[in-house]
Amino acid sequence: MNTGFSTRCLYGAGNTNNIETTGAISFPIYQTATYVHPAVGESTGYDYSRLQNPTRQRVEEVIASLEEGIDALGFSSGMAAITALMDLFKPGDHVITDADLYGGTIRLLDHVIEQRGVLFDHIDCSKDNIEDYIKENTKAIYIETPTNPMMNVVDLRKAAAIAHEYNLLLIVDNTFLSPYFQRPLTLGADIVVHSGTKFLGGHNDTLAGFLVTKRKDISEQLRFLIKTVGSGLAPFDSWLILRGVKTLPIRMEKAQKNAQEIVTFLQNEPKVKKVYYPGIKGTKEYEICRKQASGFGSMLTFEVESPALAKHILQFTKLIPFAESLGGTESLLTYPCTQTHADVLEEIRIANGITESVLRMSVGIEDVEDLIDDLKQAIDSYEEGV
Ligand SMILES: *Cc1c(COP(=O)(O)O)cnc(C)c1O
């Protein structure tokens, strides 16, 4: 049955009648490490939970159906997923990445994977000509769009065309928009990466990561890696993601609506110098984003007048927590220069625009008036010199 996105959030692509023999509407948590073999040479299909577990398999099927891939693999965190992914590359291989990536990804690539001999070039994939950086040993292009935190938008169809002309993999971290708004595999990407901790889980209560692909050869290589390196998603955490994903569409819609109202509020605040959000009409980001995504999401970044004001806002919001992470029901304010991007070289950080006056906001599903009131009182109390 060819079902719609919201239906697949509940049932995956499968036939609901076959889901579970007891008829439990909530998929059970198979909290088991191993499985009894019926006889020598026979298996129930499950041998050991590092390889496969029914609850993990269930969430993998749902995520694969949402991203329109042939396979999805669940990992214990986004970073565990990216680490396993990097095992696809050998010493001497070269990978082109965007300079503006999640800080933890940059730390992994530059401080761990590069030591194994994989070479990286970090460029601005939204502006630079990617082809100029392709070498004989280039194997892949790794991007996020919109980027974290500066919200640059990379043209996915263009990047896919280049990747395939040179026989490279296009890998897209789709955490920020989630498959509800953007499905890179349908635009030519080979592998999609997720921090399932964010919008997929959606409740700021568990870590998870996913790799999704539409290529059988890559799925086989990744299946070999997940069973070998052992960073698969645990049964209970798989269940939390299954539960979170059920409400993905309505959370994404509500959070986006809130974000758009906050963007308008911030644009009218004299002490806010610039707002970065792909849904702002008239910007280059808007024009590219609307062609490849069905929405602009609920992540926004804004630059205020001074570092002192940025710090004041973080300290004086009464409702919005100052915390890392994003994509959950609760809004969060993040200070990229000391949190997500603290380990990025200062000169690179500044060149990417992540100054001490820049704040990132993950907009949640609260009443938007409360969020705006909170931001306003934090900004205004600075004005009064409190
Ligand atoms: C958070 C994040 C990651 C890392 O995921 P974890 O689940 O925290 O390990 C990777 N990419 C992006 C875009 C993220 O926001």
Side-chain angles (χ1 to χ4, degrees):
M1 206 167 125
N2 229 342
T3 49
F5 189 91
S6 296
T7 306
R8 295 203 302 279
C9 286
L10 304 171
Y11 304 113
N15 180 346
T16 55
N17 293 330
N18 295 338
I19 285 179
E20 217 281 321
T21 49
T22 64
I25 199 82
S26 164
F27 197 86
I29 302 166
Y30 282 86
Q31 192 63 53
T32 184
T34 192
Y35 305 82
V36 179
H37 294 300
V40 174
E42 285 181 27
S43 164
T44 59
Y46 302 95
D47 302 308
Y48 191 57
S49 280
R50 173 153 37 74
L51 282 65
Q52 199 47 285
N53 171 283
T55 318
R56 191 172 94 210
Q57 185 172 17
R58 175 81 189 134
V59 72
E60 289 174 344
E61 283 165 7
V62 171
I63 302 297
S65 82
L66 299 183
E67 284 288 1
E68 302 186 34
I70 61 155
D71 196 13
L73 296 93
F75 292 86
S76 57
S77 70
M79 293 320 300
I82 301 168
T83 303
L85 173 69
M86 287 297 144
D87 280 330
L88 293 178
F89 303 108
K90 292 189 281 305
D93 286 351
H94 173 244
V95 177
I96 296 171
T97 85
D98 206 296
D100 192 32
L101 294 179
Y102 172 69
T105 305
I106 297 178
R107 182 173 59 223
L108 174 73
L109 303 186
D110 288 359
H111 299 285
V112 180
I113 308 298
E114 204 161 72
Q115 287 187 359
R116 300 179 189 166
V118 181
L119 306 162
F120 295 97
D121 260 321
H122 303 299
I123 68 171
D124 183 346
C125 292
S126 66
K127 289 199 197 78
D128 298 340
N129 186 4
I130 298 174
E131 278 177 280
D132 292 347
Y133 295 84
I134 297 175
K135 305 180 200 169
E136 196 111 300
N137 53 344
T138 305
K139 293 289 192 281
I141 303 170
Y142 184 106
I143 54 177
E144 294 174 9
T145 182
T147 64
N148 180 4
M150 296 315 291
M151 311 304 289
N152 298 323
V153 176
V154 183
D155 188 324
L156 285 173
R157 287 188 185 88
K158 245 196 216 163
I162 295 169
H164 297 147
E165 191 185 332
Y166 292 89
N167 202 18
L168 316 177
L169 292 176
L170 178 64
I171 304 165
V172 181
D173 183 331
N174 199 32
T175 299
F176 265 35
L177 286 183
S178 92
Y180 180 67
F181 284 133
Q182 178 170 274
R183 291 183 284 284
L185 297 179
T186 67
L187 303 169
D190 300 288
I191 302 173
V192 158
V193 176
H194 272 286
S195 169
T197 314
K198 315 295 169 54
F199 290 100
L200 297 177
H203 291 72
N204 289 323
D205 59 10
T206 189
L207 297 180
F210 292 92
L211 298 176
V212 197
T213 183
K214 60 179 184 196
R215 276 179 46 177
K216 196 160 184 298
D217 57 331
I218 293 171
S219 149
E220 283 166 6
Q221 288 178 64
L222 294 173
R223 287 270 154 216
F224 173 81
L225 285 169
I226 200 170
K227 84 172 175 194
T228 305
V229 302
S231 49
L233 191 60
F236 182 59
D237 294 349
S238 299
W239 184 85
L240 282 171
I241 301 294
L242 274 173
R243 189 170 73 159
V245 160
K246 289 184 185 192
T247 55
L248 179 69
I250 52 179
R251 283 187 287 105
M252 295 302 293
E253 288 289 349
K254 168 76 172 166
Q256 170 172 262
K257 192 162 173 289
N258 283 356
Q260 285 168 342
E261 291 190 33
I262 291 171
V263 166
T264 305
F265 159 74
L266 291 171
Q267 284 177 323
N268 290 309
E269 265 298 309
K271 291 191 179 309
V272 174
K273 274 169 66 183
K274 187 156 185 192
V275 184
Y276 300 86
Y277 179 70
I280 298 174
K281 285 198 183 115
T283 61
K284 190 179 94 230
E285 289 74 20
Y286 173 83
E287 288 307 325
I288 303 171
C289 200
R290 74 193 191 99
K291 284 190 206 136
Q292 61 192 23
S294 57
F296 306 100
S298 50
M299 294 300 299
L300 60 95
T301 294
F302 59 104
E303 187 183 0
V304 296
E305 227 172 48
S306 66
L309 175 58
K311 288 178 193 149
H312 178 91
I313 293 170
L314 293 172
Q315 197 176 341
F316 286 93
T317 49
K318 293 179 179 157
L319 177 73
I320 308 165
F322 165 34
E324 287 186 52
S325 202
L326 61 106
T329 38
E330 297 85 4
S331 294
L332 300 175
L333 270 173
T334 301
Y335 199 33
C337 71
T338 65
Q339 293 184 301
T340 51
H341 289 66
D343 288 336
V344 178
L345 278 178
E346 191 178 343
E347 61 197 63
I348 295 176
R349 186 164 57 66
I350 305 283
N352 290 346
I354 310 170
T355 67
E356 288 175 27
S357 304
V358 165
L359 297 171
R360 189 187 77 183
M361 184 169 178
S362 170
V363 181
I365 62 168
E366 299 91 340
D367 291 302
V368 72
E369 300 75 22
D370 294 334
L371 298 174
I372 290 174
D373 285 351
D374 195 29
L375 287 169
K376 191 161 176 43
Q377 67 76 27
I379 295 171
D380 288 352
S381 64
Y382 181 73
E383 207 165 46
E384 290 151 17
V386 174

